[in-house]
């Protein structure tokens, strides 16, 4: 049996020291104000808000797969004395402290370390404003709906717990019904992750109202009901070892797929032709990413190059066989 190609990865950081800005200009204009009724008491300890938060909004930017910033790619990880953050392009962070006055302060020397991914002028400019925001002594407040607000002048950063974000962004069943090709299995812990590709023979997962069937395990269907919180809840447990692909394969992919299918996974939409089945939506969890079968068979044209990045060179002209020596 051929082993499928597997790989594992941890998000690696190529850091460079950058001088941090001490202030943030208001060149973006007024933003929609947060309703006062949403804001509760100031946060006075990072320990009270420790954990992994998704960015609900920074300035007028709302991360979404529709603007190339899918689930878990825009976040703030809060530890007791440090922040790690990403608004959809590069990652940075700084030592931090939170006073009894609710003011978040940079506890380091004002420098920033960041990854060096090129994302185009618009995103890179947002990175600079976002990184500088954490050196501007923003006020931190709790909000309703598992959110916190950081505010510095006219700039706002709103964070939300991942599970609440998921609840607020549930897909309709019509969006996920159909045939899907497994792509990758990933385990995540905060902003870090490790995973592997499913392999050269991933099969097709068919999602229907009453059941899900993976083509590599046709004799082990999983009967489900679609829940109000967008989960594929199994109505009876199955023994995944009865699937020959699980029992006989030396690869991790089949077991990862059948295990998550049998674990009442939540479903989120991660792209025009992509969904993920997830178990554990907050700090830790695991996911399987799927691509629609139709988009695999008939791939869409490539996405446009982000603004500010050079276009790839045109393909070489065809060789003239009559003149080739």
């Amino acid at each position: 049996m051929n082993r499928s190609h597997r790989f594992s990865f941890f998000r690696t950081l190529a850091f460079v020291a950058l001088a941090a800005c001490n202030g943030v200009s208001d060149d973006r204009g007024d933003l929609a104000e947060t309703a006062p009724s949403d804001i509760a008491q100031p946060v006075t300890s990072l320990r009270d808000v420790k954990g992994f938060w998704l960015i609900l909004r920074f300035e007028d930017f709302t991360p979404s797969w529709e603007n190339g910033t899918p689930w878990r790619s825009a976040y703030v990880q809060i530890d007791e004395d440090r922040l790690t953050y990403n608004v959809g392009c590069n990652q940075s962070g700084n030592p931090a402290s939170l006073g009894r006055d609710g003011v978040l302060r940079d506890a380091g020397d004002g420098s920033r370390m960041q990854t060096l991914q090129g994302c185009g002028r618009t995103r890179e400019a947002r990175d600079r404003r976002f990184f500088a925001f954490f050196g501007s002594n923003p006020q931190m407040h709790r909000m309703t709906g598992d959110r916190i607000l950081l505010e510095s002048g006219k700039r706002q950063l709103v964070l939300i717990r991942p599970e609440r974000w998921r609840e607020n962004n549930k897909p309709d069943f019509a969006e996920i019904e159909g045939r899907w090709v497994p792509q990758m299995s990933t385990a995540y812990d905060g902003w870090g992750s490790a995973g592997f590709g499913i392999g050269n023979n991933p099969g097709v997962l068919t999602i229907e109202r009453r059941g899900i069937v993976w083509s590599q395990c046709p004799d082990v269907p999983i009967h489900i009901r679609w829940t109000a919180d967008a989960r594929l809840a199994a109505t009876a447990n199955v023994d995944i070892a009865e699937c020959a692909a699980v029992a006989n394969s030396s690869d991790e992919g089949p077991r990862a797929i059948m295990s998550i299918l049998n674990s009442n996974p939540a479903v989120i939409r991660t792209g025009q032709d992509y969904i993920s089945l997830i178990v554990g939506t907050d700090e830790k969890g695991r996911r399987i990413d799927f691509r629609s079968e139709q988009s695999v068979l008939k791939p869409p044209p490539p996405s446009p190059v982000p603004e500010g990045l050079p276009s790839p060179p045109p393909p070489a002209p065809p060789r003239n066989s009559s003149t080739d020596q």
Side-chain angles (χ1 to χ4, degrees), residues 183-225:
Q183 302 285 292
M184 185 167 185
S185 174
T186 303
Y188 46 83
D189 183 352
W191 60 265
S193 61
F196 55 89
I198 295 303
N200 296 323
N201 191 16
V204 176
L205 177 72
T206 301
I207 301 177
E208 297 178 338
R209 178 68 66 170
R210 298 297 180 187
I212 48 181
V213 179
W214 183 38
S215 62
Q216 302 294 69
C217 295
D219 297 331
V220 190
I222 299 177
H223 300 287
I224 56 128
R225 59 183 179 85

Side-chain angles (χ1 to χ4, degrees), residues 44-50 78-80 96-98 104 140:
T44 58
S45 171
L46 289 179
R47 185 181 295 111
D48 292 342
V49 289
K50 183 179 178 181
I78 301 177
D79 296 310
E80 291 186 13
S97 64
L98 190 61
L104 181 68
M140 182 181 288

Side-chain angles (χ1 to χ4, degrees), residues 171-178 180 209 226:
D172 294 327
F173 187 77
E175 296 179 71
I176 61 103
E177 186 175 19
W180 301 89
R209 178 68 66 170
W226 177 247

Side-chain angles (χ1 to χ4, degrees), residues 263-279:
S263 299
N264 305 324
V267 187
I268 60 171
R269 190 173 179 185
T270 52
Q272 180 65 41
D273 296 297
Y274 295 86
I275 62 172
S276 292
L277 303 188
I278 57 177
V279 175

Side-chain angles (χ1 to χ4, degrees), residues 28 31 57-61 126 129 155-157:
R28 306 260 317 167
L31 301 175
R57 175 170 59 84
F58 173 61
E59 300 176 338
D60 57 356
F61 175 68
R126 185 183 299 121
R129 298 192 304 273
R155 294 186 189 275
Q156 293 183 340
L157 170 64

Side-chain angles (χ1 to χ4, degrees), residues 6 12 46 62 76 96 101 119 149 153 172 176 204 221 239 241 250 276 285 319:
R6 295 183 298 170
T12 22
L46 289 179
T62 299
V76 177
D101 56 0
C119 304
L149 168 69
D172 294 327
I176 61 103
V204 176
D239 182 359
S250 58
S276 292
R319 300 180 66 183

Side-chain angles (χ1 to χ4, degrees), residues 37-104:
S37 59
D38 278 346
I39 303 174
Q41 74 276 15
V43 181
T44 58
S45 171
L46 289 179
R47 185 181 295 111
D48 292 342
V49 289
K50 183 179 178 181
F52 184 75
W53 297 79
L54 297 181
I55 295 175
L56 183 62
R57 175 170 59 84
F58 173 61
E59 300 176 338
D60 57 356
F61 175 68
T62 299
S64 166
W65 63 264
E66 294 178 293
N67 54 38
T69 316
W71 183 65
R72 296 184 79 92
S73 64
Y75 54 82
V76 177
Q77 178 88 42
I78 301 177
D79 296 310
E80 291 186 13
D81 58 358
R82 184 172 183 83
L83 306 175
T84 305
Y85 38 77
N86 190 322
V87 74
C89 180
N90 284 291
Q91 179 175 289
S92 187
N94 63 272
S97 64
L98 190 61
R100 297 183 66 84
D101 56 0
V103 174
L104 181 68

